[in-house]
Amino acid sequence: MTAPARGGLEEAERVELTVDAVAPGGHCVARVGGQVVFVRHALPGERVVAEVTELHRGFARADAVEILTPSADRVEQPCPYAKPGRCGGCDLQHVTPAAQLDWKAAVVREQLTRLGGLTDDQVDALGVQVEALPGGPLGWRSRVRYAVDAAGRAGLLKHRSHEVVPIDRCLIAHPAIQELPVLAPGGAGWPDADAVETVASTGGDVSVVAYAEGVPTPVSGPAEVRERAAGRDWTLPAAGFWQVHPAAADTLVGAVLDLLDPRPGESAWDLYGGAGLFAAALAGRVGDARVTLVESSRSGVDAARANLADLPRVEVVAARVETALSRRRVTGPVDLVVLDPPRSGAGAPVVRDIVAAGPRAVAYVACDPAAFARDVRTFTGAGWRLAALRGFDLFPMTQHVELVSLLVPAS
């Protein structure tokens, strides 16, 4: 029986509520008796029955388990596991593809005003939009890491949980990954593994790597896979980092080059440079000028040095970015910076050191709108401005969005 809408919610309680605006994390905002509730599996404007899943000081979390008044943007989820209490990997399978793009753009705008300190007019002037990549919303993910439960079954995790949901197929996985016998129905195929990573590279390689206590062991396919991006061939460990959407690498390189417009003779930094994707693209534009790549991961450093060996003007610095800047392992002046930090963002010390080096422009590649917005606030506080912003749907069916922005001195 549905409880009346009121404050003082209890876990597992079901309440009727009207859903308001989208929020970060794949949620929408609602209120019950003045209490904020973040609701998954819902859409703005819907009237739903929601089951409370978590209680916190000042807010609750809930799943929409019955849709009383559906949105025109609602569709049936194609995957039977993308539902309350099941797999937490896909946040937006109940949303039309076009509305998913609008959802993500709304989250970006909200974070730039709330955390980034920009005015509504400033955000409107950026014309924030999220662009779809080719290939559609299913079958795109070229790297899937499955968790393994205590019975040795591979699956995916529940939302905000370490509980493994055994599955028989992941519909957003690349077709070559879906064909792998990793998710054997009813089988306990991974008794000695904690996780299983599957890869289908743009170079045509398909590999499986098992992890036990964090140590990768190749199971099938090549230990090193081939990728094709930015007009170059790349080789890296199957367990190494690469963008998971087949079109992502070229999309991001194109956006970075368009925004930065590198010129011959300009020096550049590629911070958090990984295997060297942006460094290679910059080197192709700046001629004999030096490009410095900074990366802390040993596998990333090794991949960069191997893949960029034909580019003698690219220097690879093995260090944490904040350490390399603060201890002057890389020094200004510099003309261009590509900043591609992890989900936690670059942080104020890194931003301040970049500003102090005096580049004419920074291309910031971000995978988390909140962290990006906080770093934008630091840039603007240092006298810079956010001059351009593009969003890309590198992760269809999920709440994640990738941003590429141009930051320049305000003067």
Side-chain angles (χ1 to χ4, degrees):
M1 181 175 178
T2 300
R6 57 176 172 79
L9 296 172
E10 297 179 1
E11 193 163 341
E13 180 179 354
R14 292 192 172 192
V15 294
E16 281 190 24
L17 48 80
T18 299
V19 181
D20 200 350
V22 301
H27 302 85
C28 292
V29 180
R31 285 171 175 81
V32 176
Q35 185 171 1
V36 173
V37 183
F38 293 105
V39 188
R40 279 171 55 83
H41 306 286
L43 276 155
E46 292 186 328
R47 186 74 179 168
V48 306
V49 175
E51 182 173 302
V52 177
T53 57
E54 297 179 27
L55 295 172
H56 299 269
R57 184 183 296 274
F59 71 94
R61 298 183 189 275
D63 287 339
V65 294
E66 183 181 350
I67 311 304
L68 304 176
T69 307
S71 164
D73 291 324
R74 175 172 288 276
V75 294
E76 182 67 25
Q77 302 96 316
C79 175
Y81 301 104
K83 295 181 178 180
R86 309 199 80 179
C87 173
C90 287
D91 313 279
L92 304 181
Q93 284 206 13
H94 64 290
V95 186
T96 65
Q100 289 185 34
L101 302 181
D102 293 340
W103 178 305
K104 298 178 187 191
V107 169
V108 173
R109 288 193 295 268
E110 189 267 346
Q111 298 289 55
L112 286 173
T113 53
R114 187 171 64 87
L115 298 178
L118 302 185
T119 67
D120 289 336
D121 288 344
Q122 287 172 320
V123 175
D124 288 344
L126 292 168
V128 178
Q129 293 184 328
V130 176
E131 303 172 36
L133 269 61
L138 298 176
W140 55 268
R141 192 174 182 99
S142 64
R143 282 162 169 75
V144 179
R145 187 182 178 102
Y146 297 102
V148 177
D149 68 10
R153 297 173 299 179
L156 296 168
L157 297 178
K158 283 187 179 181
H159 180 63
R160 294 175 57 83
S161 171
H162 295 293
E163 182 179 346
V164 178
V165 179
I167 65 174
D168 58 7
R169 185 175 298 271
C170 175
L171 294 184
I172 66 171
H174 189 284
I177 291 177
Q178 294 190 40
E179 293 172 3
L180 291 169
V182 172
L183 304 171
W190 305 98
D192 301 318
D194 305 317
V196 181
E197 185 153 15
T198 55
V199 179
S201 77
T202 53
D205 297 317
V206 180
S207 296
V208 178
V209 179
Y211 288 80
E213 298 183 353
V215 178
T217 301
V219 174
S220 64
E224 291 192 329
V225 297
R226 300 162 297 163
E227 301 285 355
R228 178 73 182 171
R232 296 173 62 86
D233 294 317
W234 303 79
T235 302
L236 62 155
F241 174 79
W242 192 258
Q243 292 289 342
V244 297
H245 194 294
D250 279 333
T251 297
L252 296 178
V253 165
V256 165
L257 293 180
D258 285 346
L259 292 177
L260 281 184
D261 188 23
R263 304 160 192 167
E266 290 189 315
S267 60
W269 292 348
D270 179 10
L271 305 182
Y272 310 94
L277 178 68
F278 296 119
L282 290 167
R285 292 287 190 92
V286 301
D288 292 333
R290 178 165 294 280
V291 176
T292 303
L293 181 155
V294 182
E295 172 58 46
S296 61
S297 161
R298 172 49 56 188
S299 62
V301 168
D302 290 345
R305 288 176 173 162
N307 285 286
L308 307 181
D310 63 318
L311 301 173
R313 298 297 293 170
V314 176
E315 177 188 9
V316 179
V317 176
R320 292 171 58 88
V321 168
E322 51 268 44
T323 301
L325 294 175
S326 64
R327 297 185 181 179
R328 301 185 66 78
R329 292 192 61 183
V330 293
T331 58
V334 65
D335 298 300
L336 306 172
V337 175
V338 176
L339 183 60
D340 184 13
R343 188 165 299 279
S344 56
V350 168
V351 171
R352 287 194 288 263
D353 283 339
I354 291 171
V355 169
R360 72 164 175 84
V362 173
Y364 191 133
V365 182
C367 59
D368 182 79
F372 169 69
R374 287 190 288 267
D375 285 339
V376 166
R377 192 174 198 123
T378 306
F379 271 107
T380 57
W384 282 49
R385 66 182 178 91
L386 180 58
L389 178 65
R390 296 178 66 184
F392 298 99
D393 193 16
L394 269 57
F395 314 97
M397 298 295 196
T398 80
Q399 51 102 0
H400 299 290
V401 61
E402 196 86 0
L403 305 173
V404 182
S405 69
L406 177 67
L407 291 138
V408 297
S411 57

PDB file of all heavy atoms in Angstrom, residues 124-137:
ATOM      1  N   ASP A 124      24.043  30.593 -20.956  1.00  0.00           N
ATOM      2  CA  ASP A 124      23.251  30.649 -22.189  1.00  0.00           C
ATOM      3  C   ASP A 124      24.121  31.017 -23.387  1.00  0.00           C
ATOM      4  O   ASP A 124      23.926  30.505 -24.497  1.00  0.00           O
ATOM      5  CB  ASP A 124      22.120  31.672 -22.041  1.00  0.00           C
ATOM      6  CG  ASP A 124      21.016  31.207 -21.102  1.00  0.00           C
ATOM      7  OD1 ASP A 124      20.965  29.989 -20.815  1.00  0.00           O
ATOM      8  OD2 ASP A 124      20.226  32.057 -20.648  1.00  0.00           O
ATOM      9  N   ALA A 125      25.075  31.924 -23.175  1.00  0.00           N
ATOM     10  CA  ALA A 125      25.948  32.354 -24.273  1.00  0.00           C
ATOM     11  C   ALA A 125      26.819  31.210 -24.790  1.00  0.00           C
ATOM     12  O   ALA A 125      27.259  31.237 -25.956  1.00  0.00           O
ATOM     13  CB  ALA A 125      26.831  33.507 -23.812  1.00  0.00           C
ATOM     14  N   LEU A 126      27.060  30.199 -23.954  1.00  0.00           N
ATOM     15  CA  LEU A 126      27.863  29.055 -24.389  1.00  0.00           C
ATOM     16  C   LEU A 126      27.078  28.117 -25.298  1.00  0.00           C
ATOM     17  O   LEU A 126      27.661  27.309 -26.022  1.00  0.00           O
ATOM     18  CB  LEU A 126      28.362  28.267 -23.169  1.00  0.00           C
ATOM     19  CG  LEU A 126      29.385  28.975 -22.281  1.00  0.00           C
ATOM     20  CD1 LEU A 126      29.564  28.208 -20.972  1.00  0.00           C
ATOM     21  CD2 LEU A 126      30.724  29.106 -23.001  1.00  0.00           C
ATOM     22  N   GLY A 127      25.739  28.212 -25.260  1.00  0.00           N
ATOM     23  CA  GLY A 127      24.917  27.342 -26.095  1.00  0.00           C
ATOM     24  C   GLY A 127      25.153  25.871 -25.810  1.00  0.00           C
ATOM     25  O   GLY A 127      25.376  25.068 -26.727  1.00  0.00           O
ATOM     26  N   VAL A 128      25.083  25.493 -24.542  1.00  0.00           N
ATOM     27  CA  VAL A 128      25.442  24.134 -24.132  1.00  0.00           C
ATOM     28  C   VAL A 128      24.539  23.106 -24.806  1.00  0.00           C
ATOM     29  O   VAL A 128      23.314  23.149 -24.661  1.00  0.00           O
ATOM     30  CB  VAL A 128      25.347  23.992 -22.607  1.00  0.00           C
ATOM     31  CG1 VAL A 128      25.684  22.563 -22.189  1.00  0.00           C
ATOM     32  CG2 VAL A 128      26.280  24.975 -21.913  1.00  0.00           C
ATOM     33  N   GLN A 129      25.143  22.212 -25.548  1.00  0.00           N
ATOM     34  CA  GLN A 129      24.452  21.094 -26.170  1.00  0.00           C
ATOM     35  C   GLN A 129      25.316  19.852 -26.043  1.00  0.00           C
ATOM     36  O   GLN A 129      26.540  19.937 -25.905  1.00  0.00           O
ATOM     37  CB  GLN A 129      24.176  21.365 -27.653  1.00  0.00           C
ATOM     38  CG  GLN A 129      23.173  22.477 -27.922  1.00  0.00           C
ATOM     39  CD  GLN A 129      22.878  22.632 -29.404  1.00  0.00           C
ATOM     40  OE1 GLN A 129      23.747  22.388 -30.246  1.00  0.00           O
ATOM     41  NE2 GLN A 129      21.653  23.016 -29.732  1.00  0.00           N
ATOM     42  N   VAL A 130      24.682  18.696 -26.097  1.00  0.00           N
ATOM     43  CA  VAL A 130      25.396  17.423 -26.084  1.00  0.00           C
ATOM     44  C   VAL A 130      25.145  16.727 -27.406  1.00  0.00           C
ATOM     45  O   VAL A 130      23.990  16.535 -27.805  1.00  0.00           O
ATOM     46  CB  VAL A 130      24.952  16.541 -24.902  1.00  0.00           C
ATOM     47  CG1 VAL A 130      25.646  15.180 -24.956  1.00  0.00           C
ATOM     48  CG2 VAL A 130      25.257  17.238 -23.571  1.00  0.00           C
ATOM     49  N   GLU A 131      26.223  16.376 -28.100  1.00  0.00           N
ATOM     50  CA  GLU A 131      26.141  15.799 -29.435  1.00  0.00           C
ATOM     51  C   GLU A 131      26.234  14.278 -29.371  1.00  0.00           C
ATOM     52  O   GLU A 131      27.081  13.723 -28.652  1.00  0.00           O
ATOM     53  CB  GLU A 131      27.285  16.331 -30.306  1.00  0.00           C
ATOM     54  CG  GLU A 131      27.332  17.849 -30.427  1.00  0.00           C
ATOM     55  CD  GLU A 131      28.584  18.332 -31.138  1.00  0.00           C
ATOM     56  OE1 GLU A 131      29.031  17.623 -32.077  1.00  0.00           O
ATOM     57  OE2 GLU A 131      29.110  19.395 -30.761  1.00  0.00           O
ATOM     58  N   ALA A 132      25.391  13.609 -30.138  1.00  0.00           N
ATOM     59  CA  ALA A 132      25.457  12.152 -30.241  1.00  0.00           C
ATOM     60  C   ALA A 132      26.629  11.735 -31.110  1.00  0.00           C
ATOM     61  O   ALA A 132      27.027  12.447 -32.034  1.00  0.00           O
ATOM     62  CB  ALA A 132      24.158  11.611 -30.818  1.00  0.00           C
ATOM     63  N   LEU A 133      27.194  10.579 -30.813  1.00  0.00           N
ATOM     64  CA  LEU A 133      28.235   9.983 -31.645  1.00  0.00           C
ATOM     65  C   LEU A 133      27.603   8.937 -32.562  1.00  0.00           C
ATOM     66  O   LEU A 133      26.499   8.451 -32.283  1.00  0.00           O
ATOM     67  CB  LEU A 133      29.318   9.343 -30.780  1.00  0.00           C
ATOM     68  CG  LEU A 133      30.502  10.241 -30.389  1.00  0.00           C
ATOM     69  CD1 LEU A 133      30.048  11.433 -29.573  1.00  0.00           C
ATOM     70  CD2 LEU A 133      31.569   9.447 -29.623  1.00  0.00           C
ATOM     71  N   PRO A 134      28.277   8.599 -33.651  1.00  0.00           N
ATOM     72  CA  PRO A 134      27.697   7.601 -34.561  1.00  0.00           C
ATOM     73  C   PRO A 134      27.608   6.233 -33.902  1.00  0.00           C
ATOM     74  O   PRO A 134      28.365   5.905 -33.001  1.00  0.00           O
ATOM     75  CB  PRO A 134      28.685   7.589 -35.739  1.00  0.00           C
ATOM     76  CG  PRO A 134      29.958   8.148 -35.202  1.00  0.00           C
ATOM     77  CD  PRO A 134      29.569   9.127 -34.144  1.00  0.00           C
ATOM     78  N   GLY A 135      26.641   5.434 -34.351  1.00  0.00           N
ATOM     79  CA  GLY A 135      26.558   4.056 -33.890  1.00  0.00           C
ATOM     80  C   GLY A 135      25.331   3.729 -33.074  1.00  0.00           C
ATOM     81  O   GLY A 135      25.026   2.561 -32.858  1.00  0.00           O
ATOM     82  N   GLY A 136      24.632   4.740 -32.573  1.00  0.00           N
ATOM     83  CA  GLY A 136      23.417   4.473 -31.818  1.00  0.00           C
ATOM     84  C   GLY A 136      23.670   4.206 -30.346  1.00  0.00           C
ATOM     85  O   GLY A 136      24.810   4.134 -29.890  1.00  0.00           O
ATOM     86  N   PRO A 137      22.593   4.020 -29.566  1.00  0.00           N
ATOM     87  CA  PRO A 137      22.721   3.913 -28.113  1.00  0.00           C
ATOM     88  C   PRO A 137      23.087   2.536 -27.582  1.00  0.00           C
ATOM     89  O   PRO A 137      23.362   2.394 -26.391  1.00  0.00           O
ATOM     90  CB  PRO A 137      21.330   4.317 -27.623  1.00  0.00           C
ATOM     91  CG  PRO A 137      20.418   3.897 -28.721  1.00  0.00           C
ATOM     92  CD  PRO A 137      21.181   4.117 -29.988  1.00  0.00           C
TER      93      PRO A 137
END
